[in-house]
Amino acid sequence: MDVRIAEDWKQILQAEFDKPYFATLTDFVRAEYATHQVFPRGANIFRAFDKCPFEKLKVVIIGQDPYHGEGQANGLCFSVNDGVAFPPSLKNIFTEVSSDMGVPVPTSGNLDRWAEQGVLLLNAVLTVRAHEAASHAGRGWEQFTDAVVRAIAERKQGVVYMLWGSYAQRKGAIADPSRNLILKAVHPSPLSVYRGFFGSRHFSQANTYLAAQGLEPIVW
């Protein structure tokens, strides 16, 4: 199957695109876009890959589901477009960045700036019906994004994996902690953020690790 995605990722993931489950998933997603309001818009489904070329990848952050509110999802996990109010988890992420790195809270929730520095902002499920959380779960996206994480683990070392919450930790479990930096904490949602996300200092730890490998730290 010919999928519109960044060319380097396309070469790595073509075997997945050619599998029967992906054809079934594609048929489902097309039907959903034709009959329901679905986020993100179609051109942004694979935007996390387009914004973070495989060659530049340094950090992996795993989310679960795109935002399902109007105008929020833009194809990068936790990210929203300029001018959109910060969802609670993103607000908490920025609070920790500010505390950890000693920088002001950003004025924009658009995380393109992270992706362009080599942060893959990967949701486990890449589409969702408007106002229906997890409505596209269990349809095949998880199998595809498992393959993405596996491809990274097999082809790269020295990657920082930021695994927030048990779901992300299970998905990132394939990464070898002896060859990468695995950072784990609770999810930054308001329900759990005070149980160890605040004060985790993942952002400074990531930069220390990247610098030790001679790589440019991320401007968080």
Side-chain angles (χ1 to χ4, degrees):
M1 180 178 293
D2 185 26
V3 175
R4 278 181 278 183
I5 191 172
E7 192 58 39
D8 57 349
W9 283 106
K10 188 172 187 176
Q11 292 176 19
I12 292 165
L13 298 171
Q14 187 61 54
E16 291 302 306
F17 298 145
D18 291 337
K19 290 179 179 178
Y21 87 86
F22 198 86
T24 301
L25 169 63
T26 299
D27 289 344
F28 166 74
V29 170
R30 283 177 176 156
E32 285 286 289
Y33 274 92
T35 56
H36 297 86
Q37 186 178 23
V38 176
F39 300 132
R41 63 188 181 92
N44 287 344
I45 292 174
F46 296 106
R47 193 161 173 270
F49 303 93
D50 298 336
K51 284 290 179 182
C52 179
F54 185 81
E55 181 185 353
K56 287 182 65 175
L57 188 150
K58 305 175 190 175
V59 179
V60 176
I61 297 177
I62 297 176
Q64 191 163 347
D65 210 29
Y67 295 126
H68 54 82
E70 196 75 41
Q72 291 181 309
N74 67 7
L76 310 181
C77 74
F78 296 108
S79 177
V80 293
N81 289 321
D82 292 333
V84 176
F86 300 166
S89 291
L90 181 59
K91 185 176 181 180
N92 290 335
I93 289 168
F94 284 161
T95 297
E96 176 61 17
V97 169
S98 178
S99 172
D100 185 14
M101 304 300 297
V103 296
V105 171
T107 56
S108 169
N110 190 330
L111 300 182
D112 283 12
R113 59 187 182 273
W114 291 7
E116 290 162 359
Q117 296 177 79
V119 182
L120 180 66
L121 292 153
L122 179 68
N123 272 318
V125 176
L126 299 188
T127 55
V128 67
R129 273 191 200 178
H131 315 300
E132 294 185 41
S135 49
H136 287 185
R139 293 289 186 160
W141 279 129
E142 295 93 340
Q143 184 173 343
F144 171 68
T145 52
D146 279 348
V148 172
V149 177
R150 186 166 59 249
I152 297 167
E154 290 172 351
R155 289 169 170 80
K156 274 186 179 280
Q157 60 181 0
V159 174
V160 180
Y161 291 82
M162 292 184 172
L163 306 177
W164 301 331
S166 57
Y167 186 94
Q169 288 164 22
R170 287 193 301 272
K171 201 163 187 74
I174 191 172
D176 184 348
S178 69
R179 300 170 66 233
N180 305 279
L181 178 62
I182 314 296
L183 299 174
K184 297 180 181 181
V186 296
H187 194 275
S189 80
L191 297 174
S192 56
V193 70
Y194 287 101
R195 300 205 310 267
F197 184 83
F198 284 157
S200 60
R201 301 185 65 85
H202 280 186
F203 304 97
S204 59
Q205 289 184 67
N207 279 356
T208 298
Y209 181 80
L210 293 172
Q213 298 181 93
L215 297 172
E216 195 71 27
I218 305 297
V219 179
W220 299 106

Short mmCIF file of all heavy atoms in Angstrom, two decimals, residues 88-96 164 185-200:
data_model
loop_
_atom_site.label_atom_id
_atom_site.label_comp_id
_atom_site.label_asym_id
_atom_site.label_seq_id
_atom_site.Cartn_x
_atom_site.Cartn_y
_atom_site.Cartn_z
N PRO A 88 -5.31 19.77 30.08
CA PRO A 88 -4.69 19.61 31.41
C PRO A 88 -3.34 18.88 31.41
O PRO A 88 -2.41 19.32 32.09
CB PRO A 88 -5.75 18.83 32.19
CG PRO A 88 -7.04 19.20 31.55
CD PRO A 88 -6.73 19.36 30.09
N SER A 89 -3.20 17.80 30.66
CA SER A 89 -1.93 17.06 30.67
C SER A 89 -0.80 17.91 30.10
O SER A 89 0.32 17.90 30.63
CB SER A 89 -2.06 15.76 29.88
OG SER A 89 -2.91 14.85 30.55
N LEU A 90 -1.07 18.63 29.03
CA LEU A 90 -0.04 19.48 28.43
C LEU A 90 0.34 20.61 29.39
O LEU A 90 1.53 20.95 29.53
CB LEU A 90 -0.53 20.05 27.10
CG LEU A 90 0.46 20.94 26.36
CD1 LEU A 90 1.75 20.20 26.04
CD2 LEU A 90 -0.17 21.49 25.07
N LYS A 91 -0.65 21.17 30.06
CA LYS A 91 -0.36 22.21 31.05
C LYS A 91 0.58 21.68 32.13
O LYS A 91 1.54 22.35 32.53
CB LYS A 91 -1.67 22.69 31.68
CG LYS A 91 -1.53 23.85 32.63
CD LYS A 91 -2.89 24.32 33.13
CE LYS A 91 -2.75 25.50 34.07
NZ LYS A 91 -4.08 25.97 34.55
N ASN A 92 0.34 20.44 32.57
CA ASN A 92 1.20 19.84 33.60
C ASN A 92 2.59 19.52 33.06
O ASN A 92 3.59 19.66 33.78
CB ASN A 92 0.54 18.57 34.14
CG ASN A 92 -0.69 18.87 34.98
OD1 ASN A 92 -0.82 19.96 35.54
ND2 ASN A 92 -1.60 17.92 35.07
N ILE A 93 2.68 19.11 31.80
CA ILE A 93 3.98 18.88 31.18
C ILE A 93 4.79 20.18 31.18
O ILE A 93 5.97 20.20 31.55
CB ILE A 93 3.81 18.33 29.75
CG1 ILE A 93 3.29 16.89 29.79
CG2 ILE A 93 5.13 18.40 28.98
CD1 ILE A 93 2.81 16.38 28.43
N PHE A 94 4.15 21.26 30.78
CA PHE A 94 4.86 22.54 30.73
C PHE A 94 5.25 23.03 32.12
O PHE A 94 6.30 23.66 32.30
CB PHE A 94 3.99 23.59 30.03
CG PHE A 94 3.93 23.45 28.53
CD1 PHE A 94 2.91 24.05 27.80
CD2 PHE A 94 4.90 22.74 27.83
CE1 PHE A 94 2.85 23.95 26.43
CE2 PHE A 94 4.85 22.62 26.45
CZ PHE A 94 3.83 23.23 25.75
N THR A 95 4.43 22.75 33.12
CA THR A 95 4.78 23.11 34.49
C THR A 95 6.06 22.39 34.92
O THR A 95 6.95 22.99 35.54
CB THR A 95 3.62 22.75 35.45
OG1 THR A 95 2.48 23.53 35.10
CG2 THR A 95 4.00 23.03 36.90
N GLU A 96 6.16 21.10 34.57
CA GLU A 96 7.36 20.34 34.92
C GLU A 96 8.58 20.81 34.12
O GLU A 96 9.68 20.91 34.67
CB GLU A 96 7.12 18.84 34.69
CG GLU A 96 8.33 17.95 34.93
CD GLU A 96 8.88 17.99 36.35
OE1 GLU A 96 8.17 18.45 37.27
OE2 GLU A 96 10.05 17.56 36.53
N TRP A 164 5.30 7.76 30.16
CA TRP A 164 4.47 8.34 31.21
C TRP A 164 3.17 7.55 31.33
O TRP A 164 2.32 7.58 30.44
CB TRP A 164 4.17 9.81 30.88
CG TRP A 164 5.41 10.65 30.74
CD1 TRP A 164 6.62 10.46 31.36
CD2 TRP A 164 5.56 11.83 29.94
NE1 TRP A 164 7.50 11.44 30.99
CE2 TRP A 164 6.89 12.30 30.12
CE3 TRP A 164 4.70 12.54 29.10
CZ2 TRP A 164 7.37 13.44 29.48
CZ3 TRP A 164 5.18 13.66 28.46
CH2 TRP A 164 6.50 14.12 28.66
N ALA A 185 7.51 7.53 34.53
CA ALA A 185 6.78 8.28 35.56
C ALA A 185 5.29 8.03 35.35
O ALA A 185 4.89 7.44 34.34
CB ALA A 185 7.08 9.78 35.46
N VAL A 186 4.49 8.48 36.30
CA VAL A 186 3.04 8.43 36.12
C VAL A 186 2.64 9.36 34.98
O VAL A 186 3.42 10.23 34.55
CB VAL A 186 2.29 8.82 37.41
CG1 VAL A 186 2.58 7.83 38.53
CG2 VAL A 186 2.65 10.24 37.83
N HIS A 187 1.44 9.20 34.51
CA HIS A 187 0.92 10.05 33.43
C HIS A 187 0.73 11.48 33.96
O HIS A 187 0.38 11.67 35.14
CB HIS A 187 -0.42 9.49 32.95
CG HIS A 187 -0.89 10.08 31.66
ND1 HIS A 187 -1.58 11.26 31.60
CD2 HIS A 187 -0.75 9.65 30.38
CE1 HIS A 187 -1.86 11.54 30.34
NE2 HIS A 187 -1.37 10.58 29.57
N PRO A 188 0.94 12.49 33.10
CA PRO A 188 0.79 13.88 33.57
C PRO A 188 -0.64 14.37 33.68
O PRO A 188 -0.86 15.59 33.79
CB PRO A 188 1.56 14.68 32.50
CG PRO A 188 1.51 13.84 31.27
CD PRO A 188 1.55 12.42 31.75
N SER A 189 -1.60 13.49 33.68
CA SER A 189 -2.99 13.93 33.83
C SER A 189 -3.22 14.44 35.25
O SER A 189 -2.50 14.06 36.19
CB SER A 189 -3.96 12.78 33.54
OG SER A 189 -4.07 11.94 34.67
N PRO A 190 -4.23 15.27 35.46
CA PRO A 190 -4.50 15.78 36.81
C PRO A 190 -4.77 14.68 37.83
O PRO A 190 -4.57 14.88 39.03
CB PRO A 190 -5.74 16.65 36.60
CG PRO A 190 -5.71 17.06 35.17
CD PRO A 190 -5.11 15.89 34.44
N LEU A 191 -5.19 13.50 37.38
CA LEU A 191 -5.49 12.40 38.30
C LEU A 191 -4.25 11.80 38.93
O LEU A 191 -4.33 11.20 40.00
CB LEU A 191 -6.26 11.30 37.55
CG LEU A 191 -7.63 11.68 36.99
CD1 LEU A 191 -8.21 10.55 36.16
CD2 LEU A 191 -8.59 12.07 38.11
N SER A 192 -3.10 11.95 38.26
CA SER A 192 -1.91 11.25 38.75
C SER A 192 -0.66 12.12 38.86
O SER A 192 0.34 11.68 39.42
CB SER A 192 -1.59 10.06 37.84
OG SER A 192 -1.44 10.48 36.49
N VAL A 193 -0.72 13.35 38.38
CA VAL A 193 0.50 14.14 38.20
C VAL A 193 1.27 14.34 39.50
O VAL A 193 2.51 14.41 39.50
CB VAL A 193 0.15 15.49 37.52
CG1 VAL A 193 -0.64 16.40 38.47
CG2 VAL A 193 1.40 16.18 37.01
N TYR A 194 0.56 14.41 40.64
CA TYR A 194 1.24 14.64 41.92
C TYR A 194 1.83 13.36 42.51
O TYR A 194 2.45 13.41 43.56
CB TYR A 194 0.27 15.28 42.92
CG TYR A 194 -0.03 16.73 42.59
CD1 TYR A 194 -1.22 17.08 41.95
CD2 TYR A 194 0.88 17.75 42.89
CE1 TYR A 194 -1.50 18.40 41.63
CE2 TYR A 194 0.60 19.07 42.59
CZ TYR A 194 -0.58 19.39 41.96
OH TYR A 194 -0.85 20.71 41.65
N ARG A 195 1.66 12.24 41.83
CA ARG A 195 2.20 10.98 42.33
C ARG A 195 3.55 10.64 41.69
O ARG A 195 3.93 9.48 41.64
CB ARG A 195 1.20 9.83 42.10
CG ARG A 195 -0.13 10.04 42.79
CD ARG A 195 -0.86 8.72 43.07
NE ARG A 195 -0.94 7.87 41.89
CZ ARG A 195 -1.97 7.85 41.04
NH1 ARG A 195 -3.00 8.67 41.24
NH2 ARG A 195 -1.98 7.05 40.01
N GLY A 196 4.23 11.65 41.18
CA GLY A 196 5.57 11.38 40.68
C GLY A 196 5.92 11.98 39.33
O GLY A 196 7.08 11.91 38.92
N PHE A 197 4.95 12.59 38.64
CA PHE A 197 5.34 13.28 37.41
C PHE A 197 6.02 14.60 37.75
O PHE A 197 7.12 14.89 37.26
CB PHE A 197 4.14 13.51 36.49
CG PHE A 197 4.54 14.14 35.17
CD1 PHE A 197 5.01 13.35 34.14
CD2 PHE A 197 4.47 15.51 34.98
CE1 PHE A 197 5.43 13.92 32.94
CE2 PHE A 197 4.87 16.09 33.78
CZ PHE A 197 5.35 15.28 32.76
N PHE A 198 5.35 15.40 38.59
CA PHE A 198 6.01 16.61 39.06
C PHE A 198 7.24 16.22 39.87
O PHE A 198 7.16 15.40 40.78
CB PHE A 198 5.06 17.44 39.92
CG PHE A 198 4.01 18.19 39.15
CD1 PHE A 198 2.83 18.59 39.78
CD2 PHE A 198 4.17 18.54 37.81
CE1 PHE A 198 1.85 19.29 39.08
CE2 PHE A 198 3.21 19.24 37.11
CZ PHE A 198 2.04 19.61 37.76
N GLY A 199 8.37 16.79 39.52
CA GLY A 199 9.62 16.48 40.19
C GLY A 199 10.39 15.33 39.57
O GLY A 199 11.48 14.99 40.05
N SER A 200 9.88 14.76 38.48
CA SER A 200 10.59 13.63 37.84
C SER A 200 11.85 14.08 37.11
O SER A 200 12.76 13.28 36.90
CB SER A 200 9.66 12.91 36.87
OG SER A 200 9.20 13.80 35.85
#
